[in-house]
Amino acid sequence: MARIVMKFGGTSMAGTERIRRVAGIVRRQQEAGHEVAVVVSAMSGETDRLVNFCREANALYDPAEYDVVVASGEQVTSGLLALTLQSIGAKARSWLGWQLPIRTDDAHAKARIESIDTDEILASMARGEIAVIPGFQGLTADNRITTLGRGGSDTSAVAVAAALKADRCDIYTDVDGVYTTDPRIVAKARKLKNVTYEEMLELASVGSKVLQTRSVSLAMKEKVRVQVLSSFIDENAPAADTLPGTMIVSDEELEGLDMERQLITGIAADKNDAKVILTAVPDRPGAVSSIFGPLAEANINVDMIIQNVGRADTDTDVTFTVPAADLDRTVAVLEENRETIRYEKLSTDPKVAKISVVGVGMRSHAGVAAMMFKALADRGINIQAISTSEIKVSVLIDSDETELAVRLLHTAYGLDG
Ligand code: ASP
Ligand code: MG
């Protein structure tokens, strides 16, 4: 017998018909002899609808009241799943965040879980009940409702799994696993059997939106085994132990699991950045700090940075990327600080894409970046910026070339199925 936390996302919970399918999957898992707790999202589209109500009610809404409103989507699906489980003869009951409670800090609309009282869930499971818990919601020390930030149910599920010391956290979603790249771009993309926490973090942060990034860091920290699976499976499919999803594992576990692995695990594309170029910034100590200090104060996240070699020891160009959504604010901050930065010209380009190749294999192999640069050069794709981490190489290119770049790199690294 294992203890398993099962999480179902918004598309899996969208309507009573789909909830019935979910109830069947949960029931089978319990009948396979496991202790089961379920974490659910609101029906897809529901949280957006609730957020809009808040905006309409008061454009400058109080985040604490916003949380009261948006947390309700998960309350509805928790109750509905418990009802549906009961209708097929399973013992089930729901536990809202405040009833357990799931304690968070008081950063409304983006709260962090601090602790989960598991007494009630454990007692419930011991009675043979399926405990249904709404994702996304929690309670502050002074008993106000909080939510965890959009996509936060993944984090709730991992936190519940950690608190229950569950053997596994199965995340059921509308895709059947993590792929080598977006299958809509590359038809030959393959589903990965295993991916490490760090790879998943890098892939999640560069635009592969299977799991909320925060849930992956939490799983890594708490050593929760996470499996990504599709909830759109056959009525008579076996319980999840034998289903082919993607398992997120530690480096050590991976070594024993997957000897045949390619050097690169996945390729991600992200079109949400914009490029900023400052020309002829004085080449002197403090110049770069005069640019990035004010941006940091404005809470703007800078990603890739290049500083060119100075010209005649007097000045230099600085290129960097920021989230496209922050581009207008970035320009405003730089113009405000023009006197101190003393650049000659400011130009921007929102038409860029960041392409990243990710894989723990590059820790022990040289030449990964060189192969990327050559593959792109052979097809005439110009690289505008580069950044690297221990397990990732990213390049910035013209966004029109995104699909071509992803496809040719997928082939170059031997990932085509
Ligand atoms: N319902 C919330 C959202 O849409 C949380 C989640 O589904 O993970 O962001
Ligand atoms: Mg989600």
Side-chain angles (χ1 to χ4, degrees), residues 341-354:
I341 307 172
R342 290 170 31 212
Y343 55 86
E344 203 172 276
K345 198 173 127 227
L346 162 62
S347 49
T348 62
D349 180 5
K351 240 181 93 281
V352 290
K354 183 167 71 170

PDB file of all heavy atoms in Angstrom, residues 341-354:
ATOM      1  N   ILE A 341      23.075  57.584 -15.891  1.00  0.00           N
ATOM      2  CA  ILE A 341      23.633  56.493 -16.708  1.00  0.00           C
ATOM      3  C   ILE A 341      24.483  57.068 -17.847  1.00  0.00           C
ATOM      4  O   ILE A 341      25.514  56.535 -18.207  1.00  0.00           O
ATOM      5  CB  ILE A 341      22.507  55.595 -17.292  1.00  0.00           C
ATOM      6  CG1 ILE A 341      21.570  55.087 -16.188  1.00  0.00           C
ATOM      7  CG2 ILE A 341      23.110  54.420 -18.045  1.00  0.00           C
ATOM      8  CD1 ILE A 341      20.332  54.354 -16.703  1.00  0.00           C
ATOM      9  N   ARG A 342      24.026  58.148 -18.417  1.00  0.00           N
ATOM     10  CA  ARG A 342      24.716  58.858 -19.512  1.00  0.00           C
ATOM     11  C   ARG A 342      24.918  58.009 -20.769  1.00  0.00           C
ATOM     12  O   ARG A 342      25.996  57.980 -21.349  1.00  0.00           O
ATOM     13  CB  ARG A 342      26.053  59.435 -19.016  1.00  0.00           C
ATOM     14  CG  ARG A 342      25.814  60.593 -18.049  1.00  0.00           C
ATOM     15  CD  ARG A 342      27.048  61.091 -17.321  1.00  0.00           C
ATOM     16  NE  ARG A 342      28.298  60.992 -18.003  1.00  0.00           N
ATOM     17  CZ  ARG A 342      29.449  60.781 -17.384  1.00  0.00           C
ATOM     18  NH1 ARG A 342      29.477  60.620 -16.073  1.00  0.00           N
ATOM     19  NH2 ARG A 342      30.569  60.736 -18.069  1.00  0.00           N
ATOM     20  N   TYR A 343      23.846  57.314 -21.183  1.00  0.00           N
ATOM     21  CA  TYR A 343      23.919  56.588 -22.460  1.00  0.00           C
ATOM     22  C   TYR A 343      23.619  57.565 -23.590  1.00  0.00           C
ATOM     23  O   TYR A 343      23.006  58.614 -23.378  1.00  0.00           O
ATOM     24  CB  TYR A 343      22.928  55.418 -22.478  1.00  0.00           C
ATOM     25  CG  TYR A 343      21.485  55.792 -22.188  1.00  0.00           C
ATOM     26  CD1 TYR A 343      20.640  56.230 -23.205  1.00  0.00           C
ATOM     27  CD2 TYR A 343      20.975  55.721 -20.887  1.00  0.00           C
ATOM     28  CE1 TYR A 343      19.332  56.583 -22.939  1.00  0.00           C
ATOM     29  CE2 TYR A 343      19.660  56.078 -20.616  1.00  0.00           C
ATOM     30  CZ  TYR A 343      18.842  56.510 -21.646  1.00  0.00           C
ATOM     31  OH  TYR A 343      17.549  56.867 -21.390  1.00  0.00           O
ATOM     32  N   GLU A 344      24.054  57.170 -24.798  1.00  0.00           N
ATOM     33  CA  GLU A 344      23.811  58.048 -25.937  1.00  0.00           C
ATOM     34  C   GLU A 344      22.439  57.762 -26.530  1.00  0.00           C
ATOM     35  O   GLU A 344      21.664  58.668 -26.798  1.00  0.00           O
ATOM     36  CB  GLU A 344      24.892  57.785 -26.994  1.00  0.00           C
ATOM     37  CG  GLU A 344      25.129  58.924 -27.938  1.00  0.00           C
ATOM     38  CD  GLU A 344      26.341  58.609 -28.806  1.00  0.00           C
ATOM     39  OE1 GLU A 344      27.477  58.877 -28.334  1.00  0.00           O
ATOM     40  OE2 GLU A 344      26.165  58.061 -29.915  1.00  0.00           O
ATOM     41  N   LYS A 345      22.130  56.448 -26.688  1.00  0.00           N
ATOM     42  CA  LYS A 345      20.873  56.095 -27.339  1.00  0.00           C
ATOM     43  C   LYS A 345      20.242  54.894 -26.643  1.00  0.00           C
ATOM     44  O   LYS A 345      20.947  53.982 -26.204  1.00  0.00           O
ATOM     45  CB  LYS A 345      21.158  55.750 -28.806  1.00  0.00           C
ATOM     46  CG  LYS A 345      19.927  55.797 -29.677  1.00  0.00           C
ATOM     47  CD  LYS A 345      20.305  55.612 -31.165  1.00  0.00           C
ATOM     48  CE  LYS A 345      19.482  54.491 -31.769  1.00  0.00           C
ATOM     49  NZ  LYS A 345      20.244  53.535 -32.549  1.00  0.00           N
ATOM     50  N   LEU A 346      18.907  54.918 -26.572  1.00  0.00           N
ATOM     51  CA  LEU A 346      18.167  53.791 -26.011  1.00  0.00           C
ATOM     52  C   LEU A 346      17.300  53.201 -27.109  1.00  0.00           C
ATOM     53  O   LEU A 346      16.523  53.922 -27.732  1.00  0.00           O
ATOM     54  CB  LEU A 346      17.280  54.310 -24.861  1.00  0.00           C
ATOM     55  CG  LEU A 346      16.111  53.459 -24.383  1.00  0.00           C
ATOM     56  CD1 LEU A 346      16.588  52.135 -23.826  1.00  0.00           C
ATOM     57  CD2 LEU A 346      15.309  54.204 -23.318  1.00  0.00           C
ATOM     58  N   SER A 347      17.474  51.906 -27.395  1.00  0.00           N
ATOM     59  CA  SER A 347      16.557  51.295 -28.365  1.00  0.00           C
ATOM     60  C   SER A 347      16.025  49.976 -27.811  1.00  0.00           C
ATOM     61  O   SER A 347      16.635  49.364 -26.921  1.00  0.00           O
ATOM     62  CB  SER A 347      17.240  51.097 -29.721  1.00  0.00           C
ATOM     63  OG  SER A 347      18.472  50.467 -29.541  1.00  0.00           O
ATOM     64  N   THR A 348      14.870  49.563 -28.316  1.00  0.00           N
ATOM     65  CA  THR A 348      14.247  48.349 -27.794  1.00  0.00           C
ATOM     66  C   THR A 348      13.766  47.483 -28.947  1.00  0.00           C
ATOM     67  O   THR A 348      13.543  47.974 -30.050  1.00  0.00           O
ATOM     68  CB  THR A 348      13.014  48.672 -26.918  1.00  0.00           C
ATOM     69  OG1 THR A 348      12.048  49.336 -27.728  1.00  0.00           O
ATOM     70  CG2 THR A 348      13.384  49.542 -25.734  1.00  0.00           C
ATOM     71  N   ASP A 349      13.621  46.191 -28.680  1.00  0.00           N
ATOM     72  CA  ASP A 349      13.129  45.251 -29.687  1.00  0.00           C
ATOM     73  C   ASP A 349      12.305  44.170 -28.995  1.00  0.00           C
ATOM     74  O   ASP A 349      12.850  43.295 -28.327  1.00  0.00           O
ATOM     75  CB  ASP A 349      14.330  44.630 -30.428  1.00  0.00           C
ATOM     76  CG  ASP A 349      13.878  43.642 -31.486  1.00  0.00           C
ATOM     77  OD1 ASP A 349      12.652  43.509 -31.714  1.00  0.00           O
ATOM     78  OD2 ASP A 349      14.761  43.003 -32.097  1.00  0.00           O
ATOM     79  N   PRO A 350      10.981  44.224 -29.143  1.00  0.00           N
ATOM     80  CA  PRO A 350      10.156  43.195 -28.518  1.00  0.00           C
ATOM     81  C   PRO A 350      10.081  41.908 -29.343  1.00  0.00           C
ATOM     82  O   PRO A 350       9.567  40.903 -28.863  1.00  0.00           O
ATOM     83  CB  PRO A 350       8.772  43.868 -28.440  1.00  0.00           C
ATOM     84  CG  PRO A 350       8.762  44.866 -29.546  1.00  0.00           C
ATOM     85  CD  PRO A 350      10.186  45.250 -29.830  1.00  0.00           C
ATOM     86  N   LYS A 351      10.609  41.938 -30.553  1.00  0.00           N
ATOM     87  CA  LYS A 351      10.459  40.781 -31.443  1.00  0.00           C
ATOM     88  C   LYS A 351      11.619  39.788 -31.283  1.00  0.00           C
ATOM     89  O   LYS A 351      12.366  39.512 -32.210  1.00  0.00           O
ATOM     90  CB  LYS A 351      10.395  41.272 -32.890  1.00  0.00           C
ATOM     91  CG  LYS A 351       9.092  40.890 -33.595  1.00  0.00           C
ATOM     92  CD  LYS A 351       9.084  41.381 -35.025  1.00  0.00           C
ATOM     93  CE  LYS A 351       9.564  40.413 -36.057  1.00  0.00           C
ATOM     94  NZ  LYS A 351      10.914  40.133 -36.323  1.00  0.00           N
ATOM     95  N   VAL A 352      11.800  39.302 -30.072  1.00  0.00           N
ATOM     96  CA  VAL A 352      12.884  38.354 -29.829  1.00  0.00           C
ATOM     97  C   VAL A 352      12.326  37.105 -29.145  1.00  0.00           C
ATOM     98  O   VAL A 352      11.260  37.137 -28.547  1.00  0.00           O
ATOM     99  CB  VAL A 352      13.988  38.962 -28.930  1.00  0.00           C
ATOM    100  CG1 VAL A 352      14.755  40.040 -29.667  1.00  0.00           C
ATOM    101  CG2 VAL A 352      13.403  39.511 -27.627  1.00  0.00           C
ATOM    102  N   ALA A 353      13.064  36.014 -29.271  1.00  0.00           N
ATOM    103  CA  ALA A 353      12.688  34.775 -28.576  1.00  0.00           C
ATOM    104  C   ALA A 353      13.928  34.200 -27.915  1.00  0.00           C
ATOM    105  O   ALA A 353      15.034  34.306 -28.454  1.00  0.00           O
ATOM    106  CB  ALA A 353      12.106  33.775 -29.560  1.00  0.00           C
ATOM    107  N   LYS A 354      13.718  33.638 -26.744  1.00  0.00           N
ATOM    108  CA  LYS A 354      14.829  32.975 -26.058  1.00  0.00           C
ATOM    109  C   LYS A 354      14.673  31.469 -26.252  1.00  0.00           C
ATOM    110  O   LYS A 354      13.648  30.897 -25.891  1.00  0.00           O
ATOM    111  CB  LYS A 354      14.819  33.325 -24.574  1.00  0.00           C
ATOM    112  CG  LYS A 354      16.003  32.715 -23.832  1.00  0.00           C
ATOM    113  CD  LYS A 354      16.175  33.289 -22.451  1.00  0.00           C
ATOM    114  CE  LYS A 354      15.079  32.840 -21.518  1.00  0.00           C
ATOM    115  NZ  LYS A 354      15.368  33.196 -20.113  1.00  0.00           N
TER     116      LYS A 354
END
